[in-house]
């Protein structure tokens, strides 16, 4: 089912990009890129560092939840490598998990503990998306692409209440039920403090990552940050659902469609290109280099320090 959904979304993305790019010229896109002011590039860079910094806290809390606290320096290294690689490779549940397994196993975590950590990180991101989705559906429901103007506002408010209700139920269960059985496996939930931290952290993560893109767009009075978030959350969710590397094509076409009422297409494309450079390409090269150096050092250690 995920593979079929990915193909459907990719085909739709190709159609959207084809129709949008038919009226675009390379010269217009290049002009829009050069028009991005230096302060905006600096702000986007700062938000990028903050975004990856927040992601390291996912892993840090995850190690505590798994019952094996790891020094933050190691957690930050594992988190950065895992997220930078999984963002670009797609299938983050597998690619990010493989990187984490390789590193955390070296630091003494058992497969069960690593599994709990990976599950914790995956769940945390979903909670943030639901919180922001609820806020958007309460305060800016008409800004949601495709459905915002096609469904009654009251219905969208109800859907927002459902999303918020799921988060509240999760926090409540974490407070009341600490352990339960699922398919013969014992599942331990984090306590209420950890659950609340998950929600706050994930909400901050999505908002800061969206701020990278928002900083690269030309100022437009009608495009508030909350309206932009409505477009970004839908586009990013579609990219994740497609399980394509970086949501390539799907995320981009959704942003083009969603921002069309506010920003000219060349400016959107320039923001997409710089956003991908900041959030995907540069971290990928850094993470790949660091991960490779770590592997080289691990293999060289027995030669340098023979038993």
């Amino acid at each position: 089912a995920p593979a079929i959904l990915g193909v459907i979304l990719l085909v739709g993305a190709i159609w959207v990009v084809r129709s949008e790019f038919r009226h675009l010229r390379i010269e217009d896109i290049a002009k829009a890129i050069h028009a991005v002011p230096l302060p905006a590039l600096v702000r986007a860079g700062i938000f990028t560092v903050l975004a990856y910094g927040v992601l390291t806290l996912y892993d840090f809390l995850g190690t505590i939840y798994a019952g094996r606290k790891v020094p933050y320096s190691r957690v930050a290294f594992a988190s950065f490598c895992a997220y930078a690689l999984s963002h670009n490779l797609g299938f983050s549940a597998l690619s990010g998990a493989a990187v984490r397994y390789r590193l955390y196993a070296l630091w003494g975590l058992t497969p069960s503990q690593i599994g709990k950590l990976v599950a914790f990180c995956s769940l945390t991101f979903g909670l943030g998306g639901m919180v922001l989705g609820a806020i958007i559906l309460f305060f800016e429901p008409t800004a949601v692409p495709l459905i915002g103007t096609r469904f009654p506002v009251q219905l969208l408010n109800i859907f927002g209440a459902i999303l918020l209700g799921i988060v509240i139920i999760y926090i409540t269960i974490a407070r009341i039920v600490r352990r339960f059985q699922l398919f013969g496996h014992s599942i331990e939930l984090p306590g209420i403090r950890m659950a609340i931290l998950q929600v706050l952290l994930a909400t901050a993560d999505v908002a800061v990552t969206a701020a990278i893109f928002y900083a690269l767009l030309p100022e437009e009075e009608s495009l508030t940050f909350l309206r932009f978030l409505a477009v970004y959350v839908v586009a990013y969710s579609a990219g994740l659902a497609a399980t394509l590397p970086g949501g390539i094509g799907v995320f981009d076409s959704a942003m083009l469609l969603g921002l069309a009422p506010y920003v000219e297409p060349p400016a959107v494309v320039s923001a997409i290109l710089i956003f991908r450079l900041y959030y995907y390409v540069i971290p990928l090269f850094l993470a790949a280099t660091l991960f490779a150096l770590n592997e080289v050092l691990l293999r060289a250690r027995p030669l340098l320090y023979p038993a």
Side-chain angles (χ1 to χ4, degrees), residues 219-266:
E219 292 186 10
E220 176 59 49
E221 188 175 345
S222 60
L223 184 62
T224 63
F225 184 61
L226 193 56
R227 288 176 182 171
F228 171 78
L229 266 179
V231 177
Y232 178 84
V233 170
V234 170
Y236 197 75
S237 299
L240 286 177
T243 65
L244 296 167
I248 190 73
V250 177
F251 170 80
D252 313 280
S253 60
M255 293 301 291
L256 275 168
L257 278 177
L259 293 175
Y262 309 102
V263 184
E264 291 296 318

Side-chain angles (χ1 to χ4, degrees), residues 16-180:
V16 170
V17 171
R18 177 181 173 275
S19 62
E20 290 291 335
F21 271 73
R22 192 175 1 179
H23 308 291
L24 283 176
R25 296 184 306 166
I26 297 296
E27 295 81 3
D28 295 331
I29 297 172
K31 189 182 297 182
I33 292 174
H34 288 297
V36 179
L38 181 59
L41 295 174
V42 172
R43 285 196 301 272
I46 293 171
F47 285 133
T48 303
V49 174
L50 286 175
Y52 276 95
V54 171
L55 289 175
T56 65
L57 298 179
Y58 278 30
D59 279 58
F60 186 68
L61 290 180
T63 57
I64 297 173
Y65 166 65
R68 185 66 178 268
K69 192 173 179 180
V70 179
Y72 178 74
S73 57
R74 289 184 171 183
V75 168
F77 174 70
S79 174
F80 177 67
C81 290
Y83 280 112
L85 292 171
S86 65
H87 284 163
N88 287 275
L89 297 177
F91 295 100
S92 57
L94 295 177
S95 55
V99 174
R100 286 187 175 91
Y101 184 84
R102 170 60 179 164
L103 294 174
Y104 285 115
L106 290 172
W107 300 329
L109 273 71
T110 65
S112 175
Q113 289 173 329
I114 298 172
K116 289 177 69 174
L117 187 153
V118 170
F120 180 90
C121 292
S122 300
L123 175 62
T124 301
F125 175 81
L127 291 170
M130 284 189 279
V131 170
L132 286 177
I135 292 172
I136 291 163
L137 290 170
F138 281 135
F139 297 103
E140 286 288 357
T142 58
V144 180
L146 299 179
I147 66 171
T149 55
R150 298 184 181 183
F151 292 93
V153 172
Q154 294 80 1
L155 182 61
L156 296 175
N157 291 158
I158 291 172
F159 187 54
I162 292 172
L163 291 178
L164 190 59
I166 293 172
V167 176
I168 293 173
I169 289 171
Y170 170 72
I171 294 174
T172 304
I173 292 176
R175 171 68 178 85
I176 299 172
V177 181
R178 291 303 304 271
R179 189 183 298 271
F180 64 95

